[in-house]
Amino acid sequence: MTLDLAGVVTAYPGFRLGPIDLSVGTEVLAVLGPSGCGKTTLLWTIAGLRRPNAGSITLDGRALDGCPPEVRRTGLVFQDGALFPHLTARENVAYAGANPARVDELAATFEIADVLDRRPGTLSGGERQRVAIARTLATDPDVLLLDEPLSSLDAPIRRRLRRELHDLLGSLGIPTVLVTHDQRTAAALGDRLAVLRGGRVEQVGPTETVLERPRNEFVARFTGTENVFEAEVRARTDGTVTLGVGDATLTAVAERPVGAVVSACVHPSRVRLDATVQSNEDATDPRADGNVLAGTVGGWLNEGDGYRVEVAVDGAPLSLLATVPPPQFDPRAMAAGTAVRVSIPPADVHLLGEPAADG
Amino acid sequence: MATTNRRRLTGRVRLDWLTVALLLGGLLLVYYLAPLVSLFLAVPPGAVLARLGDPAVVGAATTSVLAAAISTVLATALGLPLAYWLARTGTRWKPVVLAAVVLPLVLPPTVGGVVLLTVVGPNTVVGRAAVAAGLPLTRSLAGVVLAQTFVASPFVVVTARAAFEAVDPTLEHASRLLGTTRWATVRRVTLPLAAPGILAGVTLAFARAMGEFGATMMLAYYPRTMPVQIWVSFVSLGLRAAYPIAVLLVVIAVVALVVLNTVASNPWG
């Protein structure tokens, strides 16, 4: 089963989505982008709720263009569930005519058996979303579309449902498109990842590829690689380049001509900080391979699951963010103004604009 | 807080905004209820019961209830599709259509009658054709229904439109994506969710049709409806003769309100 979008354009006053070319096989395509980038319009176009101005949508070669939503067999789970408030959870799941046995089976899968006789207004956000997913799957859709399925949920419920969706979506065996503005959800659920901005696909590819080798600054920043900086190629050896930023130099695994000005990026989790006072050979990351810079802590922020430390690299107009897991964080060593050693493995310095492996 | 303290200290009631609001609202409520109470006190129950057997009163009551029922059904059947279209359309002609719908509400009913006579009067093409077909549109039950529908149906359209607009279109999208056609979606999702508001509109339309006088006078003086009968009694026999029929009309109106409010489970809430 393959869902294909070819040159799809959906425009309305003030906004234009596309042209979009995407192919979704029996997999989960996560579409990641900021608010207003066209994520929902993309889903509505596939579902037939919006008529595209151009292009074609096919499912296994069968053209869906012009088909009304009710005959497309595309299931859409709406952001807030869109449950019918005048019907019980059971009546919602059975809305499309599923037999009672199938409803009970879905209720067991989604652990909603004990709330089946309640109205949506009395359900929690997590329960509503489970009922909504069960209702959509009760129609045995050929394509599953999910619009921000976790965004309205509290963090613990979101984490739990994310885990469950991961297992569920993998077992469905139909093309699935999930749109979200949350890179964690996209990374956790997407086999492939498409980053959308202003109605255009900025990059699409296997999730790991897009996360680790972003094509441009927008993709890098939006997927969490917040350290993006300009550097000059000062030397080149086989397979590596030496980048200069002010007085600081960094080695990166890449091919670029000497003298070229490039945009480089490093994910904050790959930046390692060590207090210089306690420094010894063991403290140096062996993979850093010479990428060791002197820096000064600018400040830090506790984000709950980790600390974000801002470090100014000495002698260079370069400020880096590093994430430090709580057990390794020492507030005394990371006080503002403290000198630290910054280590970055060359393989983790990515140059933007490199052709990605997947189109 | 300061006001309350000062009131306690001086012992005088000061006019704060809440007191003024209560006084204004209370005055209006009294203005509504006092005449009704006074009417019921003016008429001994025996007098009402005595007039119930009067063929003129029975005839007027029958005409009123029958015509108002037909008008309400017509207004609902014709008004709901228009209300739904108004709730969902994005056309720039919407304000024009809305103005046309509201026009009978703002038009004086007698003017409404005049306007209708220019279309269905005995000397018009439509009027002559109707008479030839054996269904005269003036001085007939059909005339009463036409007049009542004209003035009462906007209540259905305006109220039902608001009720339809309150139904999240996403629910209709969800229904269609579950394999349900547009019509079945309206039947299974939109109408049930909009029902309380629609019933409120239907109630208002029925009450308005029961009380219709101005346009009915122009189109169908006969058969007499209750408001026309009240006027005739008042003009020919005096105010006291009009009381019992007025009481009857009030009772029918109140019963209609109560019945529909019960069915609609508080459409006003």
Side-chain angles (χ1 to χ4, degrees):
Chain A
M1 203 67 93
T2 309
L3 174 74
D4 282 296
L5 280 76
V8 170
V9 175
T10 305
Y12 49 90
F15 183 77
R16 180 185 157 96
L17 170 79
I20 301 278
D21 294 279
L22 281 174
S23 184
V24 190
T26 308
E27 61 181 347
V28 179
L29 174 73
V31 177
L32 179 67
S35 312
C37 72
K39 300 187 298 280
T40 297
T41 304
L42 174 67
L43 290 194
W44 283 35
T45 305
I46 297 172
L49 295 174
R50 271 199 187 285
R51 190 180 291 269
N53 302 68
S56 176
I57 301 172
T58 53
L59 182 62
D60 267 352
R62 171 172 71 97
L64 296 181
D65 311 309
C67 274
E70 59 263 30
V71 299
R72 287 197 173 209
R73 300 184 58 78
T74 49
L76 172 54
V77 178
F78 289 84
Q79 186 167 357
D80 57 356
L83 297 179
F84 305 123
H86 59 303
L87 303 178
T88 62
R90 179 187 297 280
E91 288 164 339
N92 266 279
V93 176
Y95 185 83
N99 63 48
R102 174 80 170 127
V103 172
D104 287 333
E105 181 194 326
L106 285 162
T109 306
F110 289 97
E111 297 174 28
I112 49 170
D114 48 345
V115 299
L116 275 183
D117 294 320
R118 283 162 54 183
R119 293 269 173 91
T122 68
L123 302 180
S124 71
E127 287 165 345
R128 270 203 295 274
Q129 209 54 279
R130 287 162 195 272
V131 173
I133 296 168
R135 181 179 72 176
T136 298
L137 292 181
T139 64
D140 290 320
D142 289 343
V143 173
L144 181 63
L145 310 169
L146 299 129
D147 190 357
E148 301 271 13
L150 306 176
S151 68
S152 60
L153 305 179
D154 294 335
I157 313 276
R158 179 163 59 226
R159 275 195 287 272
R160 194 176 150 203
L161 199 53
R162 192 189 281 147
R163 169 81 237 166
E164 291 172 9
L165 270 180
H166 175 268
D167 299 341
L168 170 82
L169 298 181
S171 69
L172 284 181
I174 56 173
T176 301
V177 181
L178 173 144
V179 308
T180 177
H181 67 275
D182 173 27
Q183 54 125 336
R184 287 173 193 235
T185 299
L189 300 180
D191 299 315
R192 286 200 307 143
L193 183 59
V195 179
L196 201 62
R197 174 168 71 153
R200 303 292 294 268
V201 175
E202 294 277 328
Q203 186 172 0
V204 57
T207 302
E208 288 74 22
T209 307
V210 177
L211 293 182
E212 287 172 16
R213 313 209 76 75
R215 183 176 286 167
N216 58 37
E217 183 173 348
F218 176 81
V219 175
R221 288 190 186 281
F222 205 79
T223 54
T225 305
E226 290 161 285
N227 296 311
V228 182
F229 50 90
E230 281 209 335
E232 185 192 351
V233 179
R234 295 204 175 139
R236 178 182 178 186
T237 55
D238 196 23
T240 64
V241 290
T242 303
L243 305 173
V245 185
D247 294 341
T249 55
L250 274 171
T251 305
V253 179
E255 297 278 1
R256 286 292 197 285
V258 174
V261 176
V262 295
S263 285
C265 66
V266 181
H267 195 276
S269 66
R270 310 301 168 91
V271 179
R272 175 173 170 163
L273 304 178
D274 295 291
T276 44
V277 277
Q278 299 166 344
S279 72
N280 52 48
E281 285 306 305
D282 299 336
T284 311
D285 187 342
R287 292 180 304 125
D289 231 1
N291 273 348
V292 179
L293 307 167
T296 308
V297 174
W300 54 264
L301 190 68
N302 182 359
E303 293 205 319
D305 52 356
Y307 289 81
R308 275 160 68 89
V309 186
E310 206 178 303
V311 180
V313 174
D314 296 346
L318 177 59
S319 179
L320 294 173
L321 278 173
T323 46
V324 182
Q328 285 151 40
F329 184 80
D330 176 1
R332 278 168 306 157
M334 293 297 155
T338 311
V340 288
R341 193 158 61 176
V342 183
S343 322
I344 307 167
D348 291 333
V349 181
H350 169 63
L351 301 191
L352 298 178
E354 276 183 359
D358 180 289
Chain B
M1 215 42 176
T3 315
T4 318
N5 289 339
R6 214 171 297 142
R7 185 189 300 172
R8 275 199 202 115
L9 286 174
T10 59
R12 282 184 300 150
V13 175
R14 294 179 66 89
L15 284 181
D16 59 17
W17 64 269
L18 188 62
T19 315
V20 172
L22 282 173
L23 281 174
L24 291 174
L27 187 64
L28 188 61
L29 208 56
V30 169
Y31 182 59
Y32 288 151
L33 296 176
L36 280 178
V37 173
S38 147
L39 172 68
F40 278 87
L41 292 177
V43 188
V48 178
L49 291 174
R51 287 297 298 276
L52 280 183
D54 182 342
V57 175
V58 172
T62 311
T63 305
S64 270
V65 172
L66 185 62
I70 297 171
S71 302
T72 307
V73 169
L74 271 180
T76 307
L78 302 173
L80 288 187
L82 184 57
Y84 184 75
W85 178 80
L86 279 168
R88 290 288 182 257
T89 184
T91 176
R92 59 199 173 94
W93 296 105
K94 187 168 156 175
V96 180
V97 177
L98 258 179
V101 169
V102 176
L103 199 61
L105 286 182
V106 296
L107 222 53
T110 39
V111 178
V114 170
V115 171
L116 282 176
L117 279 175
T118 63
V119 179
V120 300
N123 298 320
T124 63
V125 177
V126 177
R128 270 198 298 270
V131 170
L135 186 78
L137 299 180
T138 54
R139 293 177 74 81
S140 65
L141 187 70
V144 176
V145 169
L146 284 179
Q148 289 181 347
T149 306
F150 186 76
V151 296
S153 57
F155 285 101
V156 173
V157 181
V158 170
T159 317
R161 174 202 160 214
F164 283 137
E165 275 180 348
V167 177
D168 186 352
T170 308
L171 296 176
E172 295 179 345
H173 294 323
S175 168
R176 295 193 64 194
L177 283 165
L178 292 167
T180 314
T181 61
R182 198 184 280 268
W183 162 237
T185 293
V186 168
R187 194 169 46 79
R188 294 178 64 185
V189 175
T190 319
L191 280 176
L193 288 173
I198 292 170
L199 275 168
V202 171
T203 309
L204 284 173
F206 181 76
R208 180 71 187 83
M210 282 295 293
E212 216 307 298
F213 175 67
T216 314
M217 278 287 282
M218 309 293 288
L219 246 69
Y221 185 69
Y222 287 107
R224 282 183 187 152
T225 60
M226 292 179 79
V228 175
Q229 185 61 44
I230 288 174
W231 187 78
V232 169
S233 300
F234 170 58
V235 169
S236 56
L237 299 169
L239 185 59
R240 299 202 73 83
Y243 281 169
I245 315 171
V247 168
L248 202 57
L249 197 51
V250 169
V251 169
I252 292 175
V254 168
V255 166
L257 262 179
V258 169
V259 165
L260 279 170
N261 272 303
T262 312
V263 173
S265 62
N266 187 20
W268 315 102

